[in-house]
Amino acid sequence: PKTDIVFLKVHKSASSTVMNILFRFGEMHNLTFAFPQGGGYQLYYPYHFLARFVQGFSPLSPRRFNILCHHMRFLQPEVQKVVPSSAVYFSILRNPVQLMESSFVYYKGASAFSRVRSLEEFLSQPWRYYDPSSGDRHYARNLMTFDFGFNPDGDVSPERVQLMLKAIESSFDFLLISEYFDESMVLLKEMLCWDLDSVVSFPLNSRDSSTKSLLPDSVVEKLKAWNRLDWEIYTHFNRTFWERIERHIGRERLRREVRALRQRQAELARACLQGTGSVGPKDIKDSSLRPLQYGGARILGYNLKQGLPRELERTCRRLVTPELQYSSLLYKKQFPPPAP
C-alpha cells in the first residue's frame, strides 16, 4: 500500500469525505500528517503554500511527513520540501456549475456575494459585485483554478488553458471526480494499492438538500462562461478519469467493485448509525460529532447507535467524526502537549 500522499483538498467537492478516508488510513498505520502550524485547519489558505506553514517543519532537518491533506493553495516546489519524493499526488474535482451553487450558499458572506439575493442576480452583472483585488474573490470565480495555484482571472486563450492543464498533469498522478464518487474510490483504492475497507466512507460536510436550488439553463450557461477555467479543467480531467478507469480497471470490474463498496457501506450504516443516515445539526446528540455550521447551509451529521461493542464503536465513530474534530484529535496524538 502507498503511504506517502499529497491530496489537494479542493473546496466544496466531497473533499472532507476523502480527508476522513486519509485520516483513518493514517491513524491506522501510524503515519505522520503535515499539520498547519499550531494545529489550525488550513495551511494559511488563501496564500500559496509554503513549507514553513507546516508544524514541525525545519529547513535544517530532512524530516518528511507521510500525508499532506489540509486546505492549501498548491505550490509544488514548496510541497516537495515536506513530503517524500515518492509521494502520490491526487485531487478531486466537481462540476463547476454545482460547485459555484454550493459556494454561493456556503460563502454567502464573501464580498462578491454579500450584496445579492441570488446567484442569478450575481450572474446578471458579475463585474458589478466581483472585485478581482479583494482577498476572498476566489470563492466567487474559478475556485478550483485558484486552489490549484493559478490565477482565477487569468487568460482563457486555448494556449493558456493547455499550459494550465499540462501543469496539473505534470504535478498530479490522477484526479477524481466527485459526481462519480464511488467509482473514484475504486480508482483511488487501485492507484494506492489499498483494500476495500480503507476507502469506505459516509458523506461528510454535506448540506441539507433544502438549500439546494435547481438552476435554469440560461444560468448554467452563464456559470460555465464565468467559470471558464474551472470548466476547462473539469471537462479535461473528467475525460482522463474514464480513460484511466478503462486502462487500470475496466468497466466490468468497476461495476463489481462499486457494488461491493456500496454493499459494505450499507452494512456499516446498518451496524453503526441510528435511523436511516444523516441528520440536521440540532438532531445530533453527541456534540463531539457535530459538524461546523458555516454560511447559509445546514451541514448534516450522524448519530451512532448506543451500546456498540468497543472495537465497532471506534470504527463507526471514526467514520462519522467531522474533519475539524478528527484533525485536532490526530494533531494532539502527533504533537502531545507537554506534561504539566
Side-chain angles (χ1 to χ4, degrees):
K2 305 272 196 291
T3 53
D4 299 324
I5 294 159
V6 173
F7 171 54
L8 177 63
K9 188 174 185 288
V10 169
H11 287 73
K12 316 307 312 147
S13 303
S15 55
S16 297
T17 309
V18 177
M19 195 180 197
N20 176 275
I21 288 169
L22 296 173
F23 279 168
R24 283 185 286 127
F25 186 87
E27 185 179 26
M28 188 186 230
H29 295 86
N30 287 319
L31 304 177
T32 57
F33 289 88
F35 284 107
Q37 280 284 0
Y41 305 113
Q42 301 195 337
L43 290 152
Y44 283 78
Y45 188 87
Y47 298 102
H48 272 108
F49 176 81
L50 295 175
R52 61 184 171 80
F53 297 162
V54 172
Q55 177 77 36
F57 169 79
S58 153
L60 308 173
S61 114
R63 181 178 186 189
R64 295 283 192 269
F65 300 89
N66 300 114
I67 299 178
L68 174 60
C69 63
H70 286 72
H71 272 310
M72 64 168 159
R73 189 171 182 209
F74 190 67
L75 186 60
Q76 191 163 18
E78 289 291 315
V79 168
Q80 286 167 333
K81 295 176 185 176
V82 298
V83 294
S85 57
S86 58
V88 176
Y89 287 68
F90 79 99
S91 185
I92 186 164
L93 304 175
R94 183 181 184 185
N95 184 314
V97 174
Q98 280 75 46
L99 176 68
M100 188 161 178
E101 189 272 331
S102 176
S103 191
F104 180 79
V105 174
Y106 203 77
Y107 302 112
K108 188 71 184 75
S111 57
F113 295 149
S114 58
R115 293 182 293 139
V116 293
R117 284 186 303 277
S118 67
L119 196 48
E120 284 92 319
E121 190 181 339
F122 172 78
L123 289 162
S124 65
Q125 296 175 287
W127 287 108
R128 186 176 162 192
Y129 307 107
Y130 178 82
D131 175 1
S133 65
S134 76
D136 61 0
R137 79 190 192 286
H138 50 284
Y139 293 124
R141 189 179 202 201
N142 290 316
L143 182 49
M144 294 191 290
T145 302
F146 183 86
D147 286 353
F148 275 96
F150 303 102
N151 176 7
D153 299 307
D155 173 19
V156 295
S157 69
E159 298 75 30
R160 286 299 298 272
V161 166
Q162 279 312 308
L163 278 173
M164 180 175 73
L165 297 177
K166 287 274 181 294
I168 296 173
E169 271 175 346
S170 68
S171 300
F172 288 83
D173 294 286
F174 58 98
L175 297 185
L176 306 175
I177 302 290
S178 68
E179 282 78 15
Y180 301 101
F181 192 80
D182 293 342
E183 293 82 355
S184 290
M185 291 308 99
V186 171
L187 182 63
L188 182 67
K189 171 175 96 67
E190 188 76 13
M191 302 306 283
L192 298 180
C193 308
W194 288 6
D195 61 8
L196 182 73
D197 267 14
S198 297
V199 297
V200 163
S201 64
F202 296 147
L204 293 176
N205 205 27
S206 58
R207 66 185 165 120
D208 176 8
S209 56
S210 67
T211 57
K212 294 180 183 172
S213 55
L214 266 177
L215 302 167
D217 290 350
S218 57
V219 172
V220 168
E221 290 313 311
K222 281 181 184 165
L223 267 174
K224 287 182 193 171
W226 177 248
N227 294 286
R228 175 69 191 280
L229 293 171
D230 272 11
W231 185 250
E232 294 285 357
I233 291 174
Y234 180 76
T235 49
H236 177 81
F237 288 104
N238 187 12
R239 194 178 66 249
T240 61
F241 171 79
W242 292 106
E243 287 166 3
R244 195 174 292 278
I245 292 248
E246 291 286 3
R247 205 163 54 242
H248 292 277
I249 301 168
R251 293 291 171 125
E252 197 38 56
R253 180 153 79 87
L254 177 71
R255 272 194 287 276
R256 283 201 306 275
E257 301 232 356
V258 165
R259 195 162 57 238
L261 178 65
R262 287 175 182 163
Q263 280 166 350
R264 183 67 184 125
Q265 277 165 189
E267 202 177 291
L268 278 163
R270 284 193 297 273
C272 295
L273 304 179
Q274 258 183 38
T276 53
S278 53
V279 292
K282 290 192 181 74
D283 302 314
I284 300 168
K285 299 181 183 77
D286 181 341
S287 60
S288 71
L289 297 179
R290 237 173 247 151
L292 172 74
Q293 299 301 311
Y294 192 86
R298 262 177 87 229
I299 306 298
L300 303 173
Y302 299 91
N303 282 317
L304 292 181
K305 282 184 174 166
Q306 299 297 300
L308 293 170
R310 210 169 115 205
E311 204 41 50
L312 179 61
E313 206 271 348
R314 191 177 176 283
T315 300
C316 295
R317 179 168 288 277
R318 291 294 188 260
L319 276 162
V320 300
T321 299
E323 71 180 81
L324 301 193
Q325 288 93 311
Y326 208 156
S327 183
S328 107
L329 184 101
L330 294 174
Y331 178 80
K332 285 177 191 141
K333 235 175 156 174
Q334 193 168 309
F335 301 102

